[in-house]
Amino acid sequence: MQGAKPATSSSNGSVGSSSSRSSGRRSSRRDEGGMAIRKGTWMAEEDEILMEYVRKHGPRDWSSIRSKGLLARTGKSCRLRWVNKLKPDLKTGCKFSPEEERIVLDLQAKFGNKWARIATYLPGRTDNDVKNFWSTRQKRLARISRSSLPPRSSKNDKELTAVSSYEAPPIMEDTCIDLVLLEEGSSNVQCCNAFYVDNQYAMSMAPSPCNLGLGTALPPLLEPATEEELLRLPNTSIPPQPQPQPPQQQHIGPLPQPPLDYLDHFTGEEICFPEDFGCQESSPCMQFLYDGPPFAREDEQPPAPDSLFDDLPSDLFDYLEPPPPPPPTSSAS
DNA sequence: AACCGAGTCAACCGCTCGCTG
DNA sequence: TCAGCGAGCGGTTGACTCGGT
């Protein structure tokens, strides 16, 4: 990855670049009481004062920090600084691991944009971290989907093709990558995640509800799995189903909760999914990019789902573990 | 070397919720 | 019951770095 910004004044004690950085849009202003409210990047001295306050009083009564004249910051700002930067055990400057990414994807599909809630499943991560991770990912997917739409031709060729970052040079380290699966000859785009962990690729989501399908035309590193194997994945709420032979279709109605902003393009029309991808509202798990007519309608054959997972080695997903249990309700917001 | 796009991150704002008097 | 207030949350913005061209 790139773009890691050097630590701010709080962690390296240098105020130089960060103070100039804040000089533009953020500045101090005076409130009604006449006390100047400082905004912008925190200085090391301010951090020290804030930490000292928390040591003495605990992380509460944020507004009294200003009312006592300790800092010219709002309570909000103090709390934010503590939660996002000063709290102990934060994983600052540390990239999301593939496992963390998988958890975020799972939980975002489950909870929506409840970043604080999702962050409680990720020790050392803040809601801001999760939010930033997600928005970066969204931007990337949006860019990929925009740039990857194939020309409308060869209508009969329905093969799903992996494009996007998957075409990047081989990934050598544990990595989470996004896949955009295009239905050739149309503008249908599906999106999912694959992980490269321990020299193996694996898809991020179980064949649970709202899985619209995974691509077949993946590079050789990813071998297809049998549906039986995939059904052993964690967080899979659909029960094992009988051998789904010729793809049948199940009328499931509109998607319950559009998981992505991309669904702005969604027409709201009812879609049919193959029966073996049965959809349950309780655990939607796939991000669905849509920019055209419905993916599979009753009068149209969807890609054969059984061809999507065939032959994946049975241990392919063994490393995947269920997310940790939710923390005690007292800590959740 | 300069430029540009992508990615990362910090910190703001507006809103909601829950507590308290 | 209700208003006021503080805390918390989600969305957004913009500075900054880095890699590619």
Side-chain angles (χ1 to χ4, degrees), chain A residues 140-141 143-151 159-168 177-184 188-192 194 215-219 289:
Chain A
R140 187 170 66 238
L141 292 182
R143 183 175 48 82
I144 288 168
S145 69
R146 272 197 309 271
S147 64
S148 300
L149 293 178
E159 185 185 13
L160 290 170
T161 305
V163 295
S164 87
S165 55
Y166 202 83
E167 292 179 343
I177 62 176
D178 297 309
L179 296 179
V180 173
L181 305 177
L182 297 180
E183 186 182 355
E184 288 187 358
N188 289 328
V189 179
Q190 297 174 72
C191 215
C192 64
T216 53
L218 298 172
L289 297 177

PDB file of all heavy atoms in Angstrom, chain A residues 140-141 143-151 159-168 177-184 188-192 194 215-219 289:
ATOM      1  N   ARG A 140     -12.425   2.651  -4.295  1.00  0.00           N
ATOM      2  CA  ARG A 140     -11.678   1.777  -5.185  1.00  0.00           C
ATOM      3  C   ARG A 140     -12.633   0.955  -6.044  1.00  0.00           C
ATOM      4  O   ARG A 140     -12.465   0.815  -7.250  1.00  0.00           O
ATOM      5  CB  ARG A 140     -10.770   0.865  -4.369  1.00  0.00           C
ATOM      6  CG  ARG A 140      -9.821   0.034  -5.225  1.00  0.00           C
ATOM      7  CD  ARG A 140      -8.789  -0.675  -4.386  1.00  0.00           C
ATOM      8  NE  ARG A 140      -9.370  -1.672  -3.518  1.00  0.00           N
ATOM      9  CZ  ARG A 140      -9.259  -1.704  -2.208  1.00  0.00           C
ATOM     10  NH1 ARG A 140      -8.596  -0.767  -1.608  1.00  0.00           N
ATOM     11  NH2 ARG A 140      -9.815  -2.654  -1.501  1.00  0.00           N
ATOM     12  N   LEU A 141     -13.639   0.403  -5.413  1.00  0.00           N
ATOM     13  CA  LEU A 141     -14.588  -0.420  -6.160  1.00  0.00           C
ATOM     14  C   LEU A 141     -15.340   0.420  -7.189  1.00  0.00           C
ATOM     15  O   LEU A 141     -15.590  -0.038  -8.300  1.00  0.00           O
ATOM     16  CB  LEU A 141     -15.575  -1.085  -5.208  1.00  0.00           C
ATOM     17  CG  LEU A 141     -14.976  -2.138  -4.289  1.00  0.00           C
ATOM     18  CD1 LEU A 141     -16.066  -2.762  -3.437  1.00  0.00           C
ATOM     19  CD2 LEU A 141     -14.244  -3.195  -5.070  1.00  0.00           C
ATOM     20  N   ARG A 143     -14.260   3.025  -8.656  1.00  0.00           N
ATOM     21  CA  ARG A 143     -13.353   3.324  -9.765  1.00  0.00           C
ATOM     22  C   ARG A 143     -13.199   2.100 -10.662  1.00  0.00           C
ATOM     23  O   ARG A 143     -13.233   2.179 -11.885  1.00  0.00           O
ATOM     24  CB  ARG A 143     -11.989   3.735  -9.211  1.00  0.00           C
ATOM     25  CG  ARG A 143     -10.984   4.133 -10.248  1.00  0.00           C
ATOM     26  CD  ARG A 143      -9.721   4.633  -9.585  1.00  0.00           C
ATOM     27  NE  ARG A 143      -9.247   3.750  -8.531  1.00  0.00           N
ATOM     28  CZ  ARG A 143      -8.526   2.655  -8.761  1.00  0.00           C
ATOM     29  NH1 ARG A 143      -8.210   2.312  -9.989  1.00  0.00           N
ATOM     30  NH2 ARG A 143      -8.130   1.897  -7.755  1.00  0.00           N
ATOM     31  N   ILE A 144     -13.057   0.947 -10.033  1.00  0.00           N
ATOM     32  CA  ILE A 144     -12.894  -0.281 -10.806  1.00  0.00           C
ATOM     33  C   ILE A 144     -14.124  -0.538 -11.659  1.00  0.00           C
ATOM     34  O   ILE A 144     -14.025  -0.861 -12.840  1.00  0.00           O
ATOM     35  CB  ILE A 144     -12.647  -1.461  -9.858  1.00  0.00           C
ATOM     36  CG1 ILE A 144     -11.253  -1.362  -9.263  1.00  0.00           C
ATOM     37  CG2 ILE A 144     -12.813  -2.777 -10.586  1.00  0.00           C
ATOM     38  CD1 ILE A 144     -11.025  -2.324  -8.111  1.00  0.00           C
ATOM     39  N   SER A 145     -15.277  -0.380 -11.045  1.00  0.00           N
ATOM     40  CA  SER A 145     -16.490  -0.701 -11.791  1.00  0.00           C
ATOM     41  C   SER A 145     -16.695   0.269 -12.939  1.00  0.00           C
ATOM     42  O   SER A 145     -17.193  -0.096 -13.989  1.00  0.00           O
ATOM     43  CB  SER A 145     -17.695  -0.687 -10.857  1.00  0.00           C
ATOM     44  OG  SER A 145     -17.964   0.621 -10.440  1.00  0.00           O
ATOM     45  N   ARG A 146     -16.281   1.519 -12.722  1.00  0.00           N
ATOM     46  CA  ARG A 146     -16.409   2.492 -13.811  1.00  0.00           C
ATOM     47  C   ARG A 146     -15.482   2.158 -14.962  1.00  0.00           C
ATOM     48  O   ARG A 146     -15.847   2.198 -16.115  1.00  0.00           O
ATOM     49  CB  ARG A 146     -16.078   3.889 -13.294  1.00  0.00           C
ATOM     50  CG  ARG A 146     -17.244   4.630 -12.719  1.00  0.00           C
ATOM     51  CD  ARG A 146     -16.910   6.107 -12.643  1.00  0.00           C
ATOM     52  NE  ARG A 146     -15.645   6.353 -11.995  1.00  0.00           N
ATOM     53  CZ  ARG A 146     -15.509   6.521 -10.694  1.00  0.00           C
ATOM     54  NH1 ARG A 146     -16.562   6.444  -9.919  1.00  0.00           N
ATOM     55  NH2 ARG A 146     -14.329   6.744 -10.159  1.00  0.00           N
ATOM     56  N   SER A 147     -14.262   1.804 -14.596  1.00  0.00           N
ATOM     57  CA  SER A 147     -13.258   1.622 -15.643  1.00  0.00           C
ATOM     58  C   SER A 147     -13.327   0.249 -16.272  1.00  0.00           C
ATOM     59  O   SER A 147     -12.711   0.011 -17.293  1.00  0.00           O
ATOM     60  CB  SER A 147     -11.865   1.837 -15.065  1.00  0.00           C
ATOM     61  OG  SER A 147     -11.594   0.852 -14.097  1.00  0.00           O
ATOM     62  N   SER A 148     -14.082  -0.657 -15.706  1.00  0.00           N
ATOM     63  CA  SER A 148     -14.026  -2.035 -16.175  1.00  0.00           C
ATOM     64  C   SER A 148     -15.219  -2.459 -17.000  1.00  0.00           C
ATOM     65  O   SER A 148     -15.257  -3.581 -17.468  1.00  0.00           O
ATOM     66  CB  SER A 148     -13.907  -2.978 -14.976  1.00  0.00           C
ATOM     67  OG  SER A 148     -12.756  -2.690 -14.257  1.00  0.00           O
ATOM     68  N   LEU A 149     -16.175  -1.591 -17.152  1.00  0.00           N
ATOM     69  CA  LEU A 149     -17.352  -2.008 -17.890  1.00  0.00           C
ATOM     70  C   LEU A 149     -16.986  -2.327 -19.341  1.00  0.00           C
ATOM     71  O   LEU A 149     -16.424  -1.499 -20.045  1.00  0.00           O
ATOM     72  CB  LEU A 149     -18.410  -0.900 -17.849  1.00  0.00           C
ATOM     73  CG  LEU A 149     -18.996  -0.665 -16.468  1.00  0.00           C
ATOM     74  CD1 LEU A 149     -19.997   0.482 -16.519  1.00  0.00           C
ATOM     75  CD2 LEU A 149     -19.666  -1.916 -15.935  1.00  0.00           C
ATOM     76  N   PRO A 150     -17.302  -3.519 -19.765  1.00  0.00           N
ATOM     77  CA  PRO A 150     -16.955  -3.908 -21.119  1.00  0.00           C
ATOM     78  C   PRO A 150     -17.913  -3.306 -22.109  1.00  0.00           C
ATOM     79  O   PRO A 150     -19.011  -2.894 -21.757  1.00  0.00           O
ATOM     80  CB  PRO A 150     -17.115  -5.426 -21.080  1.00  0.00           C
ATOM     81  CG  PRO A 150     -18.209  -5.642 -20.083  1.00  0.00           C
ATOM     82  CD  PRO A 150     -18.040  -4.557 -19.057  1.00  0.00           C
ATOM     83  N   PRO A 151     -17.515  -3.243 -23.362  1.00  0.00           N
ATOM     84  CA  PRO A 151     -18.432  -2.756 -24.377  1.00  0.00           C
ATOM     85  C   PRO A 151     -19.596  -3.706 -24.515  1.00  0.00           C
ATOM     86  O   PRO A 151     -19.465  -4.908 -24.293  1.00  0.00           O
ATOM     87  CB  PRO A 151     -17.575  -2.759 -25.644  1.00  0.00           C
ATOM     88  CG  PRO A 151     -16.455  -3.702 -25.347  1.00  0.00           C
ATOM     89  CD  PRO A 151     -16.223  -3.626 -23.871  1.00  0.00           C
ATOM     90  N   GLU A 159     -20.044 -15.588 -19.888  1.00  0.00           N
ATOM     91  CA  GLU A 159     -18.999 -16.006 -18.970  1.00  0.00           C
ATOM     92  C   GLU A 159     -18.615 -14.857 -18.043  1.00  0.00           C
ATOM     93  O   GLU A 159     -18.463 -13.718 -18.450  1.00  0.00           O
ATOM     94  CB  GLU A 159     -17.774 -16.470 -19.739  1.00  0.00           C
ATOM     95  CG  GLU A 159     -16.707 -17.037 -18.839  1.00  0.00           C
ATOM     96  CD  GLU A 159     -15.460 -17.375 -19.635  1.00  0.00           C
ATOM     97  OE1 GLU A 159     -15.380 -16.944 -20.782  1.00  0.00           O
ATOM     98  OE2 GLU A 159     -14.608 -18.068 -19.091  1.00  0.00           O
ATOM     99  N   LEU A 160     -18.444 -15.188 -16.826  1.00  0.00           N
ATOM    100  CA  LEU A 160     -18.009 -14.176 -15.874  1.00  0.00           C
ATOM    101  C   LEU A 160     -16.498 -14.056 -15.938  1.00  0.00           C
ATOM    102  O   LEU A 160     -15.777 -15.031 -15.965  1.00  0.00           O
ATOM    103  CB  LEU A 160     -18.427 -14.580 -14.459  1.00  0.00           C
ATOM    104  CG  LEU A 160     -19.916 -14.509 -14.190  1.00  0.00           C
ATOM    105  CD1 LEU A 160     -20.221 -15.160 -12.855  1.00  0.00           C
ATOM    106  CD2 LEU A 160     -20.392 -13.088 -14.196  1.00  0.00           C
ATOM    107  N   THR A 161     -16.066 -12.852 -15.954  1.00  0.00           N
ATOM    108  CA  THR A 161     -14.638 -12.631 -16.090  1.00  0.00           C
ATOM    109  C   THR A 161     -14.124 -11.808 -14.923  1.00  0.00           C
ATOM    110  O   THR A 161     -14.717 -10.816 -14.551  1.00  0.00           O
ATOM    111  CB  THR A 161     -14.357 -11.864 -17.390  1.00  0.00           C
ATOM    112  OG1 THR A 161     -14.939 -12.595 -18.463  1.00  0.00           O
ATOM    113  CG2 THR A 161     -12.873 -11.727 -17.612  1.00  0.00           C
ATOM    114  N   ALA A 162     -13.053 -12.263 -14.383  1.00  0.00           N
ATOM    115  CA  ALA A 162     -12.452 -11.494 -13.290  1.00  0.00           C
ATOM    116  C   ALA A 162     -11.626 -10.372 -13.863  1.00  0.00           C
ATOM    117  O   ALA A 162     -10.830 -10.562 -14.762  1.00  0.00           O
ATOM    118  CB  ALA A 162     -11.562 -12.393 -12.454  1.00  0.00           C
ATOM    119  N   VAL A 163     -11.851  -9.215 -13.363  1.00  0.00           N
ATOM    120  CA  VAL A 163     -11.105  -8.055 -13.838  1.00  0.00           C
ATOM    121  C   VAL A 163     -10.594  -7.314 -12.629  1.00  0.00           C
ATOM    122  O   VAL A 163     -10.622  -7.821 -11.531  1.00  0.00           O
ATOM    123  CB  VAL A 163     -11.990  -7.138 -14.689  1.00  0.00           C
ATOM    124  CG1 VAL A 163     -12.413  -7.847 -15.938  1.00  0.00           C
ATOM    125  CG2 VAL A 163     -13.176  -6.682 -13.899  1.00  0.00           C
ATOM    126  N   SER A 164     -10.184  -6.127 -12.858  1.00  0.00           N
ATOM    127  CA  SER A 164      -9.787  -5.232 -11.786  1.00  0.00           C
ATOM    128  C   SER A 164      -8.480  -5.628 -11.165  1.00  0.00           C
ATOM    129  O   SER A 164      -7.600  -6.130 -11.823  1.00  0.00           O
ATOM    130  CB  SER A 164     -10.855  -5.169 -10.704  1.00  0.00           C
ATOM    131  OG  SER A 164     -10.705  -6.186  -9.750  1.00  0.00           O
ATOM    132  N   SER A 165      -8.411  -5.413  -9.848  1.00  0.00           N
ATOM    133  CA  SER A 165      -7.126  -5.576  -9.193  1.00  0.00           C
ATOM    134  C   SER A 165      -6.631  -7.011  -9.280  1.00  0.00           C
ATOM    135  O   SER A 165      -5.481  -7.286  -9.000  1.00  0.00           O
ATOM    136  CB  SER A 165      -7.231  -5.168  -7.736  1.00  0.00           C
ATOM    137  OG  SER A 165      -8.255  -5.885  -7.112  1.00  0.00           O
ATOM    138  N   TYR A 166      -7.486  -7.897  -9.614  1.00  0.00           N
ATOM    139  CA  TYR A 166      -7.040  -9.273  -9.732  1.00  0.00           C
ATOM    140  C   TYR A 166      -6.036  -9.421 -10.862  1.00  0.00           C
ATOM    141  O   TYR A 166      -5.239 -10.342 -10.871  1.00  0.00           O
ATOM    142  CB  TYR A 166      -8.243 -10.183  -9.987  1.00  0.00           C
ATOM    143  CG  TYR A 166      -7.945 -11.595  -9.591  1.00  0.00           C
ATOM    144  CD1 TYR A 166      -8.078 -12.006  -8.269  1.00  0.00           C
ATOM    145  CD2 TYR A 166      -7.481 -12.504 -10.528  1.00  0.00           C
ATOM    146  CE1 TYR A 166      -7.792 -13.287  -7.905  1.00  0.00           C
ATOM    147  CE2 TYR A 166      -7.193 -13.800 -10.164  1.00  0.00           C
ATOM    148  CZ  TYR A 166      -7.342 -14.187  -8.854  1.00  0.00           C
ATOM    149  OH  TYR A 166      -7.058 -15.463  -8.484  1.00  0.00           O
ATOM    150  N   GLU A 167      -6.090  -8.505 -11.782  1.00  0.00           N
ATOM    151  CA  GLU A 167      -5.154  -8.586 -12.885  1.00  0.00           C
ATOM    152  C   GLU A 167      -3.807  -7.956 -12.539  1.00  0.00           C
ATOM    153  O   GLU A 167      -2.912  -7.935 -13.358  1.00  0.00           O
ATOM    154  CB  GLU A 167      -5.737  -7.898 -14.115  1.00  0.00           C
ATOM    155  CG  GLU A 167      -6.924  -8.652 -14.661  1.00  0.00           C
ATOM    156  CD  GLU A 167      -7.516  -7.959 -15.869  1.00  0.00           C
ATOM    157  OE1 GLU A 167      -7.225  -6.780 -16.066  1.00  0.00           O
ATOM    158  OE2 GLU A 167      -8.243  -8.620 -16.603  1.00  0.00           O
ATOM    159  N   ALA A 168      -3.711  -7.475 -11.355  1.00  0.00           N
ATOM    160  CA  ALA A 168      -2.444  -6.906 -10.931  1.00  0.00           C
ATOM    161  C   ALA A 168      -1.406  -8.023 -10.837  1.00  0.00           C
ATOM    162  O   ALA A 168      -1.751  -9.190 -10.847  1.00  0.00           O
ATOM    163  CB  ALA A 168      -2.621  -6.235  -9.572  1.00  0.00           C
ATOM    164  N   ILE A 177      -8.048  -8.667  -1.665  1.00  0.00           N
ATOM    165  CA  ILE A 177      -8.250  -7.963  -2.922  1.00  0.00           C
ATOM    166  C   ILE A 177      -9.712  -7.956  -3.276  1.00  0.00           C
ATOM    167  O   ILE A 177     -10.480  -8.772  -2.798  1.00  0.00           O
ATOM    168  CB  ILE A 177      -7.451  -8.606  -4.064  1.00  0.00           C
ATOM    169  CG1 ILE A 177      -7.920 -10.038  -4.277  1.00  0.00           C
ATOM    170  CG2 ILE A 177      -5.979  -8.548  -3.786  1.00  0.00           C
ATOM    171  CD1 ILE A 177      -7.243 -10.707  -5.445  1.00  0.00           C
ATOM    172  N   ASP A 178     -10.057  -7.030  -4.073  1.00  0.00           N
ATOM    173  CA  ASP A 178     -11.434  -6.939  -4.531  1.00  0.00           C
ATOM    174  C   ASP A 178     -11.535  -7.530  -5.912  1.00  0.00           C
ATOM    175  O   ASP A 178     -10.657  -7.383  -6.733  1.00  0.00           O
ATOM    176  CB  ASP A 178     -11.875  -5.486  -4.586  1.00  0.00           C
ATOM    177  CG  ASP A 178     -11.861  -4.874  -3.216  1.00  0.00           C
ATOM    178  OD1 ASP A 178     -12.440  -5.480  -2.319  1.00  0.00           O
ATOM    179  OD2 ASP A 178     -11.272  -3.805  -3.072  1.00  0.00           O
ATOM    180  N   LEU A 179     -12.602  -8.168  -6.141  1.00  0.00           N
ATOM    181  CA  LEU A 179     -12.865  -8.679  -7.471  1.00  0.00           C
ATOM    182  C   LEU A 179     -14.113  -8.022  -8.000  1.00  0.00           C
ATOM    183  O   LEU A 179     -15.086  -7.858  -7.290  1.00  0.00           O
ATOM    184  CB  LEU A 179     -13.111 -10.192  -7.434  1.00  0.00           C
ATOM    185  CG  LEU A 179     -11.949 -11.047  -6.991  1.00  0.00           C
ATOM    186  CD1 LEU A 179     -12.375 -12.502  -7.000  1.00  0.00           C
ATOM    187  CD2 LEU A 179     -10.777 -10.864  -7.911  1.00  0.00           C
ATOM    188  N   VAL A 180     -14.041  -7.656  -9.212  1.00  0.00           N
ATOM    189  CA  VAL A 180     -15.251  -7.213  -9.877  1.00  0.00           C
ATOM    190  C   VAL A 180     -15.513  -8.221 -10.970  1.00  0.00           C
ATOM    191  O   VAL A 180     -14.679  -8.470 -11.823  1.00  0.00           O
ATOM    192  CB  VAL A 180     -15.084  -5.821 -10.484  1.00  0.00           C
ATOM    193  CG1 VAL A 180     -16.291  -5.480 -11.313  1.00  0.00           C
ATOM    194  CG2 VAL A 180     -14.903  -4.804  -9.382  1.00  0.00           C
ATOM    195  N   LEU A 181     -16.623  -8.825 -10.905  1.00  0.00           N
ATOM    196  CA  LEU A 181     -16.949  -9.859 -11.859  1.00  0.00           C
ATOM    197  C   LEU A 181     -17.924  -9.288 -12.862  1.00  0.00           C
ATOM    198  O   LEU A 181     -18.994  -8.822 -12.518  1.00  0.00           O
ATOM    199  CB  LEU A 181     -17.561 -11.069 -11.140  1.00  0.00           C
ATOM    200  CG  LEU A 181     -16.677 -11.598 -10.033  1.00  0.00           C
ATOM    201  CD1 LEU A 181     -17.378 -12.750  -9.326  1.00  0.00           C
ATOM    202  CD2 LEU A 181     -15.353 -12.068 -10.579  1.00  0.00           C
ATOM    203  N   LEU A 182     -17.518  -9.322 -14.064  1.00  0.00           N
ATOM    204  CA  LEU A 182     -18.347  -8.745 -15.110  1.00  0.00           C
ATOM    205  C   LEU A 182     -19.039  -9.843 -15.872  1.00  0.00           C
ATOM    206  O   LEU A 182     -18.447 -10.852 -16.206  1.00  0.00           O
ATOM    207  CB  LEU A 182     -17.482  -7.946 -16.088  1.00  0.00           C
ATOM    208  CG  LEU A 182     -16.763  -6.750 -15.500  1.00  0.00           C
ATOM    209  CD1 LEU A 182     -15.976  -6.077 -16.581  1.00  0.00           C
ATOM    210  CD2 LEU A 182     -17.760  -5.805 -14.883  1.00  0.00           C
ATOM    211  N   GLU A 183     -20.249  -9.601 -16.140  1.00  0.00           N
ATOM    212  CA  GLU A 183     -20.943 -10.475 -17.048  1.00  0.00           C
ATOM    213  C   GLU A 183     -20.702  -9.914 -18.430  1.00  0.00           C
ATOM    214  O   GLU A 183     -21.196  -8.848 -18.782  1.00  0.00           O
ATOM    215  CB  GLU A 183     -22.428 -10.503 -16.724  1.00  0.00           C
ATOM    216  CG  GLU A 183     -23.186 -11.492 -17.543  1.00  0.00           C
ATOM    217  CD  GLU A 183     -24.651 -11.431 -17.198  1.00  0.00           C
ATOM    218  OE1 GLU A 183     -24.992 -10.689 -16.276  1.00  0.00           O
ATOM    219  OE2 GLU A 183     -25.435 -12.116 -17.847  1.00  0.00           O
ATOM    220  N   GLU A 184     -19.942 -10.604 -19.173  1.00  0.00           N
ATOM    221  CA  GLU A 184     -19.550 -10.050 -20.461  1.00  0.00           C
ATOM    222  C   GLU A 184     -20.760  -9.839 -21.347  1.00  0.00           C
ATOM    223  O   GLU A 184     -21.696 -10.612 -21.348  1.00  0.00           O
ATOM    224  CB  GLU A 184     -18.544 -10.974 -21.139  1.00  0.00           C
ATOM    225  CG  GLU A 184     -17.188 -10.909 -20.452  1.00  0.00           C
ATOM    226  CD  GLU A 184     -16.147 -11.690 -21.226  1.00  0.00           C
ATOM    227  OE1 GLU A 184     -16.502 -12.292 -22.251  1.00  0.00           O
ATOM    228  OE2 GLU A 184     -15.000 -11.698 -20.780  1.00  0.00           O
ATOM    229  N   ASN A 188     -23.603  -5.610 -16.418  1.00  0.00           N
ATOM    230  CA  ASN A 188     -23.759  -6.126 -15.066  1.00  0.00           C
ATOM    231  C   ASN A 188     -22.405  -6.299 -14.403  1.00  0.00           C
ATOM    232  O   ASN A 188     -21.482  -6.851 -14.979  1.00  0.00           O
ATOM    233  CB  ASN A 188     -24.464  -7.484 -15.090  1.00  0.00           C
ATOM    234  CG  ASN A 188     -25.911  -7.341 -15.461  1.00  0.00           C
ATOM    235  OD1 ASN A 188     -26.522  -6.333 -15.142  1.00  0.00           O
ATOM    236  ND2 ASN A 188     -26.446  -8.314 -16.146  1.00  0.00           N
ATOM    237  N   VAL A 189     -22.342  -5.842 -13.207  1.00  0.00           N
ATOM    238  CA  VAL A 189     -21.089  -5.954 -12.478  1.00  0.00           C
ATOM    239  C   VAL A 189     -21.376  -6.548 -11.121  1.00  0.00           C
ATOM    240  O   VAL A 189     -22.293  -6.128 -10.434  1.00  0.00           O
ATOM    241  CB  VAL A 189     -20.449  -4.557 -12.278  1.00  0.00           C
ATOM    242  CG1 VAL A 189     -19.175  -4.689 -11.494  1.00  0.00           C
ATOM    243  CG2 VAL A 189     -20.190  -3.918 -13.618  1.00  0.00           C
ATOM    244  N   GLN A 190     -20.604  -7.520 -10.773  1.00  0.00           N
ATOM    245  CA  GLN A 190     -20.707  -8.029  -9.428  1.00  0.00           C
ATOM    246  C   GLN A 190     -19.377  -7.795  -8.748  1.00  0.00           C
ATOM    247  O   GLN A 190     -18.348  -7.744  -9.375  1.00  0.00           O
ATOM    248  CB  GLN A 190     -20.986  -9.519  -9.411  1.00  0.00           C
ATOM    249  CG  GLN A 190     -22.286  -9.873 -10.041  1.00  0.00           C
ATOM    250  CD  GLN A 190     -22.426 -11.367 -10.128  1.00  0.00           C
ATOM    251  OE1 GLN A 190     -22.620 -12.029  -9.139  1.00  0.00           O
ATOM    252  NE2 GLN A 190     -22.283 -11.872 -11.315  1.00  0.00           N
ATOM    253  N   CYS A 191     -19.437  -7.731  -7.495  1.00  0.00           N
ATOM    254  CA  CYS A 191     -18.245  -7.417  -6.760  1.00  0.00           C
ATOM    255  C   CYS A 191     -18.116  -8.316  -5.567  1.00  0.00           C
ATOM    256  O   CYS A 191     -19.089  -8.607  -4.901  1.00  0.00           O
ATOM    257  CB  CYS A 191     -18.354  -5.983  -6.287  1.00  0.00           C
ATOM    258  SG  CYS A 191     -16.810  -5.183  -6.300  1.00  0.00           S
ATOM    259  N   CYS A 192     -16.945  -8.775  -5.313  1.00  0.00           N
ATOM    260  CA  CYS A 192     -16.746  -9.565  -4.114  1.00  0.00           C
ATOM    261  C   CYS A 192     -15.302  -9.403  -3.690  1.00  0.00           C
ATOM    262  O   CYS A 192     -14.552  -8.644  -4.271  1.00  0.00           O
ATOM    263  CB  CYS A 192     -17.057 -11.032  -4.356  1.00  0.00           C
ATOM    264  SG  CYS A 192     -15.962 -11.783  -5.547  1.00  0.00           S
ATOM    265  N   ALA A 194     -11.679 -11.363  -2.487  1.00  0.00           N
ATOM    266  CA  ALA A 194     -10.921 -12.591  -2.350  1.00  0.00           C
ATOM    267  C   ALA A 194      -9.725 -12.298  -1.461  1.00  0.00           C
ATOM    268  O   ALA A 194      -9.228 -11.176  -1.416  1.00  0.00           O
ATOM    269  CB  ALA A 194     -10.469 -13.085  -3.710  1.00  0.00           C
ATOM    270  N   GLY A 215     -17.110 -15.672  -9.543  1.00  0.00           N
ATOM    271  CA  GLY A 215     -16.650 -15.898 -10.904  1.00  0.00           C
ATOM    272  C   GLY A 215     -15.973 -17.231 -11.100  1.00  0.00           C
ATOM    273  O   GLY A 215     -15.414 -17.804 -10.189  1.00  0.00           O
ATOM    274  N   THR A 216     -16.020 -17.690 -12.281  1.00  0.00           N
ATOM    275  CA  THR A 216     -15.328 -18.918 -12.607  1.00  0.00           C
ATOM    276  C   THR A 216     -13.988 -18.642 -13.256  1.00  0.00           C
ATOM    277  O   THR A 216     -13.065 -19.393 -13.120  1.00  0.00           O
ATOM    278  CB  THR A 216     -16.140 -19.748 -13.594  1.00  0.00           C
ATOM    279  OG1 THR A 216     -16.448 -18.902 -14.687  1.00  0.00           O
ATOM    280  CG2 THR A 216     -17.385 -20.252 -12.956  1.00  0.00           C
ATOM    281  N   ALA A 217     -13.935 -17.548 -13.962  1.00  0.00           N
ATOM    282  CA  ALA A 217     -12.757 -17.330 -14.784  1.00  0.00           C
ATOM    283  C   ALA A 217     -11.633 -16.689 -13.996  1.00  0.00           C
ATOM    284  O   ALA A 217     -11.012 -15.734 -14.417  1.00  0.00           O
ATOM    285  CB  ALA A 217     -13.122 -16.450 -15.976  1.00  0.00           C
ATOM    286  N   LEU A 218     -11.392 -17.221 -12.830  1.00  0.00           N
ATOM    287  CA  LEU A 218     -10.321 -16.679 -12.024  1.00  0.00           C
ATOM    288  C   LEU A 218      -9.009 -17.321 -12.447  1.00  0.00           C
ATOM    289  O   LEU A 218      -8.986 -18.409 -12.974  1.00  0.00           O
ATOM    290  CB  LEU A 218     -10.591 -16.988 -10.548  1.00  0.00           C
ATOM    291  CG  LEU A 218     -11.857 -16.360 -10.017  1.00  0.00           C
ATOM    292  CD1 LEU A 218     -12.144 -16.866  -8.618  1.00  0.00           C
ATOM    293  CD2 LEU A 218     -11.741 -14.860 -10.009  1.00  0.00           C
ATOM    294  N   PRO A 219      -7.941 -16.633 -12.182  1.00  0.00           N
ATOM    295  CA  PRO A 219      -6.649 -17.205 -12.500  1.00  0.00           C
ATOM    296  C   PRO A 219      -6.452 -18.523 -11.765  1.00  0.00           C
ATOM    297  O   PRO A 219      -7.134 -18.806 -10.789  1.00  0.00           O
ATOM    298  CB  PRO A 219      -5.675 -16.144 -11.989  1.00  0.00           C
ATOM    299  CG  PRO A 219      -6.449 -14.901 -11.982  1.00  0.00           C
ATOM    300  CD  PRO A 219      -7.851 -15.283 -11.698  1.00  0.00           C
ATOM    301  N   LEU A 289     -22.807  -4.688  -7.181  1.00  0.00           N
ATOM    302  CA  LEU A 289     -22.756  -3.507  -8.019  1.00  0.00           C
ATOM    303  C   LEU A 289     -23.733  -3.693  -9.143  1.00  0.00           C
ATOM    304  O   LEU A 289     -23.744  -4.712  -9.806  1.00  0.00           O
ATOM    305  CB  LEU A 289     -21.354  -3.357  -8.604  1.00  0.00           C
ATOM    306  CG  LEU A 289     -20.258  -3.130  -7.593  1.00  0.00           C
ATOM    307  CD1 LEU A 289     -18.927  -3.083  -8.303  1.00  0.00           C
ATOM    308  CD2 LEU A 289     -20.502  -1.875  -6.832  1.00  0.00           C
TER     309      LEU A 289
END
